[in-house]
Structures are given as C-alpha cells and as structure tokens.
Amino acid sequence: LFQGVRQAQWLTKTKLVEGLPPPVLSIIDNPAHQLEDHEEGVKRAISHARLWDTTEVAPRREHYCPVLFEDLIHLCRLMSVKYPSLTKRMLARNYKISATWERESILLQVRGLNGILMNSMAPIPPVASKEEILATEEHVLETFYPISPTIDLQEVNVYKELNDTGKSSFRDGYPYSHPHTLFFLESANIRPNRFRPEQLRAKMLMFAFGNALAKAKVLYGNDPKVLEQPIVVQSVGTDGQLFQFMVFQLNTTDLVSSDGIKNLVWIDSDQNLYEKAQCIPEVKKRVVMKPAGIYGFQPDTFKKFLALYLHGTV
Amino acid sequence: MAASRGRRLLWHGRCWFSQTESGVPSQPPDSLYPPIVASATAKSKAAKRRRLEHFNQRVHAAASIEEKLRLYGQLQRPKYMLYPQTFALNADRWYRSFTKTVFVPGLPPRAAAAAAKAPGAVAPEAAETPAGAAGVAPEAAKAPEPGTAAPEAAKSPEVAAAAAPYLDMGELRSLACDALLQESFYQNKKRPFLYRDQDHTPGPFLTQLVSTLAAFLCGRNPLLAASSLDLKPEVNYYWHHGEEVVVHGHRKGRVDPVRFQIDDNPHLQIRVPKQLPEIVPLESDLGDVPVIDHKPSKLPLFKKQYENKVYIGSKVADPCCYGHTQFHLIPDKLKRERFVRANLEDQIEVVYRANGIASLFAWTAAQAMYQGFWNEADVTRPFVSQAVVTDGKYFAFFCYQLNTLALTVETIQNNPRKNICWGTDSKPLYDVVEDGSVKGFNDEVLLQLVRFLLNRPKEL
C-alpha cells in the first residue's frame, strides 16, 4: 500500500489512535501479572534465536525470525499456569482469510495467507467506551487527493464474493471461533523482500479488519449496520527485531459511506526488542571491543507482547 | 633429534645444561640423556601410536568445549551416514551393534520418588503399563476411596482440590482432541502436496499437541517452565566404532577406524537446563549387544566425506544443554501401508525402534560431548533422554540411557558398560476422526505422553 496506514485507514473507515488502548496498558502496569520475571527468559529466547540456534556462525533472518516468535509464544503460553483459561487458545498456521466490503462504490476484498492466527474461545471485550465510539462520528477520514485511495491495489475480477472465516477457513462448530491475534513475521532474507514498517502496519490493519469483518458477518449477518458489541482483533508484526503492536476494534460494518461511526485502531509502532545481537566478538587490533551477546535489551516490548497475549482473559 | 622433539615437548625439560636441573633431586642420574621415544613421523606402528597419543593429549588439554569439539572432528575422511529413519530391513539390530546399545522392551519403572506419591492406588494403570505415574493418581491423598475411585478418577476430577496435585484426564483429552480436530477437520486447507501428507496434518497436530500440553503441565513440572522448545532442530553426532582396512585409493591397505555420522531432524524437541535422573546405575548390564559380522555397507549404508558435526540443537553457550524429549514424525516413505503392501509387517516396528535408538544415541552422546566427555574421557554419569516416534496416529515411546561413549577399538576392549534403550511398540492414539469428533480415543497413550513430559530430576 503506497500511503501506508493512512490509505488503509481510508479503505477500512478507521480512526487512528497512537499508543495502546487503556485496558492493555492496565495489564502492563498491573504488577500482579509479574511481567518482570520473564526478563531472563526473554533474554535467553533472543540469544537462542539470534546466536545459538544454528551450526553456522550466525543464523539468517528466515531462520531466526520464526524461532524468536516461537520462543516468545512458548514463554507466553507458560503463563497459563496462572491463568487456566489461557489454554483455551489455539494457533492456526498457514491460515487463509477472505473478506469483501464496499467502500464508496468500490468493491474491496482482502484475501490470502496471512501469517499465523491465534483463536480463542471467548471474544475480547471492546476496548473503547461508547462515548469514544460516538465521538468518531465527527472524525473526518483524511483523503489524499489527488492520489486515488485504491492505488497499488490489485484489480481482480471477483466472481464469487467469498466472505467468511467460517466457510473458507474453519468449518462450523469450531470451538475456538473468535480471532484473537494475528502474527506477521517478516522473515525474508533480503531487505527488498520484506515490508517496510509502514507497509507492515498497513498490512496488519487490512488483515485485522478482514478477520473482524468476516467474524461480524458470521455473527450478525451481511447487512451493513453499526455493531452494538464491537469486535476486537489484535495484531503483532515483527521482522525479528522491530515489533509493531495493533489493536483494532470494528464498530460498524456500514462502510459504503464515509460518514457515521468509524472503526478504531490503536497502533504502537517500531518497538525494538533489542538493539543489536553480536554473533562474533568485534575485535580491533587483537583487542576484543565488543564480546558476543545481545545489546540494548528493552523489556517493555515483551511486556506489551505478553499483555496483548493475555488481553481478553485477565 | 632435539629439534624434532622440541615441537612437542617443552624446552625447559630438555636443557640439561641449565641450572634448574640441579633443583630436582628426584631425577635419577641417568636422565642426562633424554628419554628415547618412537619417532613421530616415521611409517611405523610405534610412530602411529605416538601420534595418536599426542592427538589425545591435545584434545584433553583443549581450552574450551568448542575447541575440543573442533579438534575431535578436525580430520575429515569418508564416513558412513546413519539415517535414523530408514527403510533398511532389521536396521535396529545393526544400529544397536554400532552404538553398543541394549534394547529392553517396555518402559523402565519410574523412580521411587514418584511411586511414593501414589502409594497403592495405581493398580489399574500399573497393570497396563509398567511405568507408575508421577502424580496421576488423583486419589493419592484421599485415603478413604482408593479402590472405587481408581477407575473413574482418571476420567473426572470430582475429587476436590487435594493437597497432592492430580491430573485432569478430561482436560488433557479435550486438549488433544481439539488439536487433532483443528488440524484434520476444522481448518480448511488445500489438498496435501504429493507425498507430503505428513506435513499437512500430523505435523501441525503434533506441534499443537506438544506445545499446549507442555504449557498445561508446566505448573506440574517446573523443569518445563525453564525449557526451550525447538521446532525442526538439527541433531548431529560423529563417532568411531570398529576397524576396517581401506579398500581402494592412495591409503589402500591401511587400518582405519570405521566412522559414523548421524544427521537427524526431529520434528520437535524440548531441551532443559537440568539433567534427567538416571534410570539404572551406570554399570548395569541388562542384555546383550548384537554382533554383526558383515561390513556396515551391507545394511545398506553409504559413505560420504563432509564436515564432522556434533550438535544437540543449539550451541554450547545455551544454558538448556540437556535433553528432555524429542518428537519424531515418520515420513511418507515409511508409512505403515507401504510396509503392509510389501508384506513386511514385522518391519513396521523396526522403523520405530531404529529411529528411537539412533536419534536418542546421537542426542545423548552430543549432550555428553557438550559437557566435555569423549571416547577417551568416558562419561562419569549417565545421560538420559526420551523420545516419542509417531506417524500421527501410532505412537511409540523410547527412553535412552547413555552409559558409555567409548566405542573405538582401543577403548572398547576393557569397557563393560553398555548403553540401554527402553521402548514400546507403536499404539494408536485414536481410531478415526469423522464428523467433528474423534472415535476410539486411547487414554493410555496420552497418559504415557503426559508422563514423559512430567519427567524431571528428583530435586524438583
């Protein structure tokens, strides 16, 4: 997407709020969750993914990005000791989504393999209060005239509007029916093959919207309307070092017009988990300047990751 | 003479002109001349022995484990590649002879500490499998109802939260069924690629099952809380065993050790920072190691020359340097149906056994090398690891205890120790999945899997 998040906002009729929403922040700040104990574990996970996991000297991004993700999810899952309802989650890999909607007479569709989805049995409660939702009515979606909002989108002749996660991805009766979090791993080795942070955020927004829309259509039918019970889908994107966190709340499926209640998204972007991972010691003139290891570790990023994981069950 | 010796031996020992000699009264007076030792470069057996001894000294004196591993695998020569997942007939006998392993059918009885927790009430389970559970008996703390509650207690947790933790079989069964149903039924996937059936359904099912079970059980087993889960790791080990004469080439006619290398890729593995306890004492003898008179290439095994790797799944610096459990997925080439069609039903179990023995030997031996042991410095404590070999429906459980690394010709002569492998036959976890439900779920297999995951050192 050319304009990145701004374009995605227009396409999905969304208002952007910087930072994470208050319920998630309260999970982070709540000392009862003991998020600090995991620092050691996180450092070990990073070292394992970036330094130790290969017989070569340094692992490639294709290798360490998924390994880091798996290790972090493993750490998060171990929290289910304290919160038994965390076991009611299921990861679905290679997951396909398709959702269609109309936006000012342009038919848009989101489709494709979108990374890893975590489903849960219980939906996430809405994060924005009713007043905030109503306040979005006055918000005007920014357009970027003269660039058309559909620039960089592939125009395809769609003959069948496939619409729901229910039919195309999961069958009826699936117990873990609520999409909880989407994970995107930018793990291509070469930089041009990876998404830039801005584009990654836009992709996260589009897919989160697609999942939420599909779920709304399953729950409430195909008519466009304002939802009394908004649907919340979270999203985390990373390239192995930089993390983007996003919480999306679908307030309305009435997307044809540009007025009225908008959807909301909270984005926390460009969070570094660590500054640098030194695989071999940096040696200048026979003196070791920087021994091998992880530098610039920031525990807050993992706290946010864990808070997003726990959101909805605590 | 002095010059050639000086490369290896320290100078100050040889300078008999210096004054330091007088300060050593214990030297007998005939040390005026240096000791006469065999040449190091001549083409003689004594020289070869001296070179070997020098190599051993270098490895013993290596500064770090990485250096030791580097020196150990420095010389590259053609070696036999052992594949744990192989179609060769009776491969498990051959692998046992290469690794000096004794195979004991059935699983070992669990340690007394675990038995103490479930005093007498594990009768129904104990009758079925020889391994008593760690905390499975829900009625362990409840004296009044041991007998009647035993059959149902495994199914429903009506017993109120007792002081001794109990395992909720219903919960575990629902976790396993959910994972199975998601992968095989609920998630709409494309059709599997040709001959890639195992990656389509059983692979993801196994990953889901193990990760959810590990998370569920980590409250019970603190070792799991500090563990590291690897997806598709690499495990390599290189060793010498036996002798042969080089057949062709410029080294023809020389006597060489037979070199083996295992390069294994388990589907999933759990590594922990503390070692699992030993099952039997180091010097126990539980059976015989088969002796095979043929050359290894008759198995069939083929030689190749490449890097000699010793690797457990992560480098030496990782704190989780001991192994806990490995999970192997049988590939499509070795499916049960293929063996049945070829009238080789008895080889089905051989596949599971060969996989268990070879993979676990490689893993435990590599763990031992990471701690600094090698075939000249044999292990002082046994290394224990577990493995589950499955093809998605049938599960076989293996337990391995490494007692000795000394398998080369010189070191095996006076070595009475043998490695031991316990293993079960493959049993199905369920019968069939249809219409959104799992038919014929076998609790025993799940229970055994849970017991494996709960295995931990006695202190914890």
Side-chain angles (χ1 to χ4, degrees), chain A residues 160-181:
Chain A
K160 267 198 301 196
E161 290 182 20
L162 278 181
N163 222 331
D164 7 16
T165 58
K167 289 223 182 68
S168 67
S169 254
F170 291 104
R171 294 204 208 174
D172 300 324
Y174 185 48
Y176 299 89
S177 52
H178 296 270
H180 186 272
T181 315

Side-chain angles (χ1 to χ4, degrees), chain B residues 132-180:
Chain B
V136 182
E139 62 280 53
K142 292 265 177 178
E145 37 186 327
T148 49
E152 299 98 23
K155 301 273 167 77
S156 62
E158 260 112 23
V159 180
Y166 59 88
L167 275 180
D168 186 352
M169 271 313 289
E171 181 76 36
L172 292 170
R173 200 185 317 130
S174 70
L175 279 181
C177 289
D178 279 340
L180 189 53

Side-chain angles (χ1 to χ4, degrees), chain A residues 97-101 161-165 168 210 213-214 217 222:
Chain A
I97 170 67
S98 57
T100 334
W101 70 100
E161 290 182 20
L162 278 181
N163 222 331
D164 7 16
T165 58
S168 67
L213 188 66
K217 297 210 173 168
N222 274 335

Side-chain angles (χ1 to χ4, degrees), chain B residues 109-140:
Chain B
R110 282 282 170 248
K117 275 198 194 153
V122 235
E125 277 131 15
E128 277 140 0
T129 46
V136 182
E139 62 280 53

Side-chain angles (χ1 to χ4, degrees), chain A residues 44 48 51-59 63 67 70-71 74-75 77-81 87-96 113 119 121 166-176, chain B residues 171 174-175 178-179 182-190 207-208 211-212 214-216 218-219 224-231 233-234 236 271 273 307 309 311 313-315 317-320:
Chain A
R44 229 190 18 217
H48 172 244
L51 304 175
W52 300 328
D53 193 43
T54 170
T55 45
E56 303 148 18
V57 173
H63 188 73
V67 170
E70 291 297 331
D71 280 343
H74 184 58
L75 278 174
R77 261 199 294 256
L78 295 177
M79 291 286 280
S80 63
V81 171
T87 51
K88 302 270 179 290
R89 301 272 184 92
M90 194 64 79
L91 271 185
R93 293 162 205 263
N94 297 330
Y95 159 72
K96 285 193 311 207
L113 290 169
N119 287 313
M121 278 192 180
K167 289 223 182 68
S168 67
S169 254
F170 291 104
R171 294 204 208 174
D172 300 324
Y174 185 48
Y176 299 89
Chain B
E171 181 76 36
S174 70
L175 279 181
D178 279 340
Q182 177 188 332
E183 291 308 328
S184 46
F185 185 72
Y186 282 122
Q187 190 170 357
N188 279 0
K189 304 181 192 177
K190 291 196 176 136
T207 320
Q208 283 279 17
S211 32
T212 38
F216 186 72
C218 71
L224 284 180
S227 65
S228 176
L229 191 72
D230 298 334
L231 295 187
E234 214 185 305
N236 308 330
R271 277 177 299 113
E307 194 192 336
K309 285 204 265 199
Y311 189 62
S314 71
K315 292 190 185 159
D318 198 332
C320 291

Side-chain angles (χ1 to χ4, degrees), chain B residues 332-344:
Chain B
D332 271 310
K333 254 204 300 195
L334 305 170
K335 284 197 294 207
R336 293 180 97 92
E337 293 85 34
R338 286 175 83 115
F339 281 103
V340 168
R341 258 186 281 149
N343 286 334
L344 290 166

Side-chain angles (χ1 to χ4, degrees), chain A residues 71-293:
Chain A
D71 280 343
L72 292 179
I73 287 283
H74 184 58
L75 278 174
C76 293
R77 261 199 294 256
L78 295 177
M79 291 286 280
S80 63
V81 171
K82 279 204 302 198
Y83 305 106
S85 47
L86 277 183
T87 51
K88 302 270 179 290
R89 301 272 184 92
M90 194 64 79
L91 271 185
R93 293 162 205 263
N94 297 330
Y95 159 72
K96 285 193 311 207
I97 170 67
S98 57
T100 334
W101 70 100
E102 250 198 57
R103 188 80 187 86
E104 287 201 2
S105 74
I106 313 169
L107 194 62
L108 300 162
Q109 191 182 52
V110 160
R111 259 218 194 175
L113 290 169
N114 64 350
I116 306 174
L117 172 70
M118 187 162 66
N119 287 313
S120 64
M121 278 192 180
I124 313 180
V127 274
S129 58
K130 287 268 187 278
E131 298 79 25
E132 284 185 14
I133 302 177
L134 290 173
T136 59
E137 253 185 287
E138 291 90 37
H139 173 78
V140 174
L141 288 176
E142 60 174 306
T143 54
F144 16 88
Y145 186 81
I147 306 178
S148 151
T150 52
I151 193 172
D152 266 357
L153 294 179
Q154 196 183 11
E155 197 177 303
V156 187
N157 282 329
V158 177
Y159 298 108
K160 267 198 301 196
E161 290 182 20
L162 278 181
N163 222 331
D164 7 16
T165 58
K167 289 223 182 68
S168 67
S169 254
F170 291 104
R171 294 204 208 174
D172 300 324
Y174 185 48
Y176 299 89
S177 52
H178 296 270
H180 186 272
T181 315
L182 285 165
F183 297 98
F184 294 91
L185 304 178
E186 293 299 316
S187 54
N189 266 337
I190 331 175
R191 198 187 292 210
N193 288 2
R194 294 200 290 271
F195 274 74
R196 308 268 80 235
E198 182 68 20
Q199 273 77 34
L200 179 60
R201 287 197 285 274
K203 177 165 107 156
M204 283 158 61
L205 179 52
M206 297 303 289
F207 278 108
F209 173 75
N211 275 300
L213 188 66
K215 186 74 201 153
K217 297 210 173 168
V218 164
L219 283 179
Y220 301 115
N222 274 335
D223 312 317
K225 58 175 180 239
V226 177
L227 309 171
E228 321 85 44
Q229 196 58 3
I231 299 183
V232 178
V233 174
Q234 301 175 139
S235 184
V236 176
T238 175
D239 66 352
Q241 185 164 345
L242 220 52
F243 280 74
Q244 327 280 343
F245 300 107
M246 191 167 75
V247 181
F248 177 79
Q249 173 166 325
L250 185 76
N251 297 322
T252 169
T253 51
D254 176 16
L255 299 161
V256 180
S257 63
S258 280
D259 325 310
I261 299 211
K262 318 272 185 312
N263 305 312
L264 284 164
V265 68
W266 289 261
I267 296 192
D268 204 3
S269 44
D270 293 336
Q271 306 285 314
N272 243 335
L273 186 56
Y274 54 91
E275 290 300 330
K276 189 163 165 50
Q278 193 85 19
C279 291
I280 18 178
E282 192 184 305
V283 178
K284 284 211 168 102
K285 295 193 188 165
R286 309 275 188 100
V287 172
V288 177
M289 313 286 336
K290 259 180 157 186

Side-chain angles (χ1 to χ4, degrees), chain A residues 17-38:
Chain A
V17 179
E18 287 291 340
L20 289 173
V24 179
L25 290 173
S26 70
I27 300 181
I28 300 179
D29 295 329
N30 190 349
H33 298 307
Q34 283 176 335
L35 299 175
E36 291 76 16
D37 291 349
H38 297 279

